[in-house]
């Protein structure tokens, strides 16, 4: 049986994992098929996560958080969602807690932190991050949204696309140009609230996969953003993005390995029970070799992923290492889901089969959070530095 010994977790981590696993079994897995049809999870699910203390684990106690400063808990959260095979939740919930929340926590003004962090912990407010625009994805410096300083507020105009949690979001961290003449140094980040007049949303996109994810466009027309909603200093947004993107890429890597493992494990069961030529599919040498190749790579990936978590816990994970992790783990996920479809034969192409959905879901992992081509650029930059 495929299993990799884990050495980085304590009994407390295991207890947290078990309570989370029970929660996912009761509240997420039974609802995921409906959420995929609805193209979104429910607000109620966010509130339940909040009530059970699963959102924004690192949030300080002063805002009602648990202040758990140990990334292993975040890793368990991502891993268990990934192992459930519920890919929409596996991406959307961690994005809120481990990507959007850190921007507000690290760079928010005190009034903004007091206003938004408690609501993000409780699940009353759902977070999104809006960098990508129709004309600028990989090349973030080319964004065209603008935020003009009007004295007591910024006036935000522009649009964003492909925004995860976009349709349900109550609060979005938005990148905009405060000085279009300055390239990267002219980009700033803002907290935009659903209550702000001029902030509207598109409808969730029809995507190849991640059907329970409410990915959509966001529009900003003369949105008055209070000065206290600027994150950090004006003109430093690009620097903050580059800093925080390391954790975002690690999260995608951790989701990738867990989603790949669950696809692999269900395929092992399938081939053991599928007859052909008077044997089981698992009896063919080709199947055994394919399983061996995948199992070996997954084992390697799991040990690597655990070590990345420990490096991140001790602040030693740099941007290029996070890029390597994102690149390697998402390529592995795509490779495993493709091979697993093949081992299922025609059934692997049927949407009712988890492996078909896993195949479709995996593809985008090589695209968002920076494409894998951009990851290679970042890795090469460090090597050649
Ligand atoms: C489901 C989904 C969810 C997403 N969620 C979010 C979100 O929450 N927030 C957000 O801001 N964005 C989000 N994105 C956007 C995502 O990050 C971008 O799609 C991605 O960064 C690529 O940008 P692009 O689509 O404009 O492609 P482009 O930048 O146009 O790239 C097209 C191709 O050119 C290649 N390319 C570009 N530049 C280079 C280069 N320098 N060297 C080599 N090759 C290059 C790319 O690798 C790619 O293959 C999401 C996207 C999807 C599909």
């Amino acid at each position: 049986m495929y299993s990799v010994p884990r050495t980085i977790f304590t009994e407390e981590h295991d207890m947290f994992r078990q309570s989370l696993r029970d929660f996912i079994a009761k509240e997420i897995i039974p609802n995921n098929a409906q959420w995929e049809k609805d193209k979104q999870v429910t607000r109620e699910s966010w509130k339940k996560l909040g009530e059970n203390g699963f959102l924004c684990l690192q949030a300080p106690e002063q805002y009602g958080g648990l202040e758990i400063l140990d990334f292993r808990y975040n890793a368990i959260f991502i891993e268990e969602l990934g192992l459930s095979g519920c890919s929409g939740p596996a991406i959307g919930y961690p994005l809120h807690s481990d990507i959007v929340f850190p921007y507000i926590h690290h760079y928010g003004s005190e009034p903004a932190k007091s206003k938004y962090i408690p609501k993000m912990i409780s699940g009353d407010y759902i977070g999104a991050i809006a960098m990508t625009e129709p004309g600028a994805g990989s090349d973030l410096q080319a964004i065209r949204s603008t935020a003009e300083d009007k004295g007591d507020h910024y006036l935000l105009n522009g649009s964003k696309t492909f925004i995860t949690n976009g349709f349900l979001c109550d609060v979005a961290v938005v990148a905009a140009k405060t000085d279009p003449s300055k390239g990267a140094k002219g980009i700033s980040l803002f907290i935009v609230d659903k209550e702000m007049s001029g902030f509207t949303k598109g409808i969730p996109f029809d995507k190849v996969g991640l059907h329970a994810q409410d990915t959509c466009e966001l529009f900003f027309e003369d949105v008055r953003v209070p000065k206290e909603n600027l994150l950090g200093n004006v003109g430093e947004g690009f620097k903050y993005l580059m800093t925080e993107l390391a954790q975002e890429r690690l999260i995608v890597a951790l989701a990738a390995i867990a989603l790949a493992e669950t696809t692999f494990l269900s395929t092992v069961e399938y081939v053991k029970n599928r007859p052909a030529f008077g044997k089981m599919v698992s009896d063919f040498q080709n199947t055994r070799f394919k399983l061996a190749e995948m199992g070996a790579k997954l084992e390697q990936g799991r040990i690597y992923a655990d070590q990345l978590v420990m490096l991140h816990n001790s602040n030693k994970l740099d941007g290029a290492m996070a890029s390597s992790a994102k690149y390697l783990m998402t390529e592995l996920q795509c490779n495993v889901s493709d091979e697993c479809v093949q081992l299922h034969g025609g059934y692997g192409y049927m949407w009712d089969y988890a492996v078909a959905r896993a195949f479709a879901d995996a593809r985008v992992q090589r695209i968002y959070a920076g494409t894998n081509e951009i990851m290679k650029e970042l890795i090469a930059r460090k090597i050649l530095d």
Side-chain angles (χ1 to χ4, degrees), residues 91 95 99-100 128-140 160-166 173 205 207 209-210 213 215-216 248-249 364-375 377 381:
I91 300 302
L95 179 123
I99 298 174
V100 183
I129 175 141
M131 300 172 275
T132 306
E133 299 185 355
S138 304
D139 184 8
L140 265 181
K160 299 287 174 180
T161 194
F162 303 149
I163 306 307
T164 301
N165 294 345
V173 169
F205 284 116
K207 302 190 297 297
L210 296 188
Q213 232 316 304
T215 318
C216 82
E248 175 168 359
R249 286 164 186 160
V364 75
Q365 295 261 87
R366 284 158 55 198
I367 295 172
Y368 56 24
T371 66
N372 282 7
E373 291 71 37
I374 296 297
M375 296 305 100
E377 280 293 335
R381 206 174 289 169

Side-chain angles (χ1 to χ4, degrees), residues 32 36 85-88 91 207-212 259 333-334 337 351 354-366 368:
N32 195 54
E36 294 208 332
C86 301
S87 56
I91 300 302
K207 302 190 297 297
V208 169
L210 296 188
H211 286 176
L259 287 160
Q333 182 191 358
C334 285
S337 61
W351 198 249
V355 71
R357 298 195 297 276
F359 173 72
D361 292 339
R363 189 60 185 84
V364 75
Q365 295 261 87
R366 284 158 55 198
Y368 56 24

Side-chain angles (χ1 to χ4, degrees), residues 105-360:
H105 178 39
H106 295 153
Y107 310 110
S109 66
E110 201 42 57
K113 288 203 263 196
S114 312
K115 180 169 178 187
Y116 294 107
I117 295 179
K119 289 179 178 167
M120 290 182 75
I121 296 170
S122 66
D124 285 305
Y125 261 38
I126 299 165
I129 175 141
M131 300 172 275
T132 306
E133 299 185 355
S138 304
D139 184 8
L140 265 181
Q141 294 187 36
I143 59 169
R144 295 177 67 175
S145 294
T146 54
E148 234 181 298
D149 190 340
K150 293 286 187 186
D152 65 338
H153 67 274
Y154 287 93
L155 197 64
L156 178 67
N157 278 289
S159 69
K160 299 287 174 180
T161 194
F162 303 149
I163 306 307
T164 301
N165 294 345
F167 188 69
L168 287 175
C169 79
D170 305 286
V171 59
V173 169
V174 178
K177 287 261 171 83
T178 33
D179 186 344
S181 69
K182 283 194 180 154
K185 291 201 172 129
I187 294 177
S188 305
L189 300 181
F190 300 89
I191 303 173
V192 179
D193 192 307
K194 63 169 179 191
E195 302 297 343
M196 292 175 188
S197 162
F199 173 24
T200 54
K201 301 165 178 179
I203 53 166
F205 284 116
D206 276 326
K207 302 190 297 297
V208 169
L210 296 188
H211 286 176
Q213 232 316 304
D214 54 313
T215 318
C216 82
E217 289 174 290
L218 304 180
F219 305 99
F220 310 100
E221 201 182 330
D222 288 339
V223 179
R224 291 165 70 99
V225 182
K227 283 264 157 116
E228 67 191 32
N229 282 29
L230 169 72
L231 287 172
N233 297 318
V234 75
E236 293 194 1
F238 195 78
K239 189 173 91 183
Y240 305 149
L241 289 171
M242 291 307 112
T243 308
E244 301 294 326
L245 276 169
Q247 179 160 302
E248 175 168 359
R249 286 164 186 160
L250 174 62
I251 287 161
V252 173
L254 296 177
I257 180 79
L259 287 160
E261 281 175 327
T262 198
T263 304
F264 175 70
L265 289 170
S266 63
T267 302
V268 171
E269 285 314 304
Y270 182 83
V271 295
K272 286 201 300 201
N273 293 295
R274 173 73 179 166
F277 294 95
K279 303 175 176 183
M280 291 299 165
V281 170
S282 57
D283 293 323
F284 301 124
Q285 189 187 50
N286 175 66
T287 306
R288 303 172 71 79
F289 280 11
K290 287 290 175 197
L291 293 179
E293 285 162 20
M294 285 190 275
K297 285 183 201 155
L298 286 168
E299 190 176 88
Q300 182 187 40
R302 172 49 67 204
I303 292 166
Y304 171 55
D306 281 356
Q307 285 315 305
L308 290 166
V309 169
M310 295 313 281
L311 282 172
H312 190 46
N313 239 354
S314 51
N315 283 325
K316 289 190 177 131
L317 184 82
D318 66 29
M321 289 179 84
S323 299
S324 301
K326 194 261 173 184
Y327 157 56
L328 289 171
M329 294 298 96
T330 59
E331 296 284 340
L332 177 60
Q333 182 191 358
C334 285
N335 172 264
V336 165
S337 61
D338 183 48
E339 296 285 13
C340 288
V341 165
Q342 192 67 19
L343 289 175
H344 276 74
Y347 295 95
Y349 201 64
M350 296 298 123
W351 198 249
D352 281 349
Y353 277 67
V355 71
R357 298 195 297 276
F359 173 72

